[in-house]
Amino acid sequence: MRTADPGTGTDADPDFDESSAGSTSPPPSRRPLVLSAVAGFVLGGSVLGLLWGLSGVHAGALEDAVAACQALDRVGELPDTSRDARPSLTPSLSAERLRRMIAARELSAAAAQVNANYQPLADHIDGVSRMVLSLHFNDISGQRHLTEAKEICGRI
């Protein structure tokens, strides 16, 4: 006689052995677990490699800022003509000193482009370069930029 199995709602055979039915099913596959682990390893390694590669960019910014300060220092003393009665008679700078001033401006701008912490240095050196290239050494703002740039260079 067949009776209804209350758990499944099907007819149950009294001679049915549940232990023999469970042993024929295959064990669960570990393939999805292994594939997930490999994908996680590859993704994590890629992210770490990318971060490591990008971290070297800021080291170049420091080197550019230091080189800008060295170039500014090699320009030498600029004449302070703010007290001169006739600033138009100020002697001009050599081409070599002008090129160093341009190099200092470009190096500081490159450092600021990579790392915003060097933006004040770039701004002050740009102010100095505008004063030098125009040969208006009596510009009080340019002299202030020179003082600030030298202070920032002293801290780098």
Side-chain angles (χ1 to χ4, degrees), residues 30-48:
R30 293 187 185 185
R31 186 173 297 155
L33 180 63
V34 171
L35 288 176
S36 296
V38 170
F41 180 75
V42 169
L43 183 62
S46 299
V47 169
L48 285 177

Side-chain angles (χ1 to χ4, degrees), residues 4 19 21 25 28 30 33 37 56 88 95 108 113 136 139 153:
S19 63
S25 65
R30 293 187 185 185
L33 180 63
S88 61
S108 65
Q113 186 176 11
H136 289 113
D139 183 22
C153 286

Side-chain angles (χ1 to χ4, degrees), residues 6 18 35 43 68 76 84 93 106 109 119 148:
E18 290 183 17
L35 288 176
L43 183 62
D84 286 352
L93 297 177
E106 293 301 317
Q119 189 62 48
E148 292 292 325

Side-chain angles (χ1 to χ4, degrees), residues 16-88:
F16 181 77
D17 185 16
E18 290 183 17
S19 63
S20 65
S23 65
T24 59
S25 65
S29 175
R30 293 187 185 185
R31 186 173 297 155
L33 180 63
V34 171
L35 288 176
S36 296
V38 170
F41 180 75
V42 169
L43 183 62
S46 299
V47 169
L48 285 177
L50 180 66
L51 292 174
W52 178 69
L54 291 175
S55 68
V57 171
H58 294 290
L62 174 62
E63 291 169 356
D64 286 345
V66 169
C69 290
Q70 290 172 344
L72 180 64
D73 189 47
R74 290 178 66 198
V75 168
E77 287 298 317
L78 298 176
D80 183 4
T81 58
S82 59
R83 293 179 293 272
D84 286 352
R86 300 174 67 185
S88 61

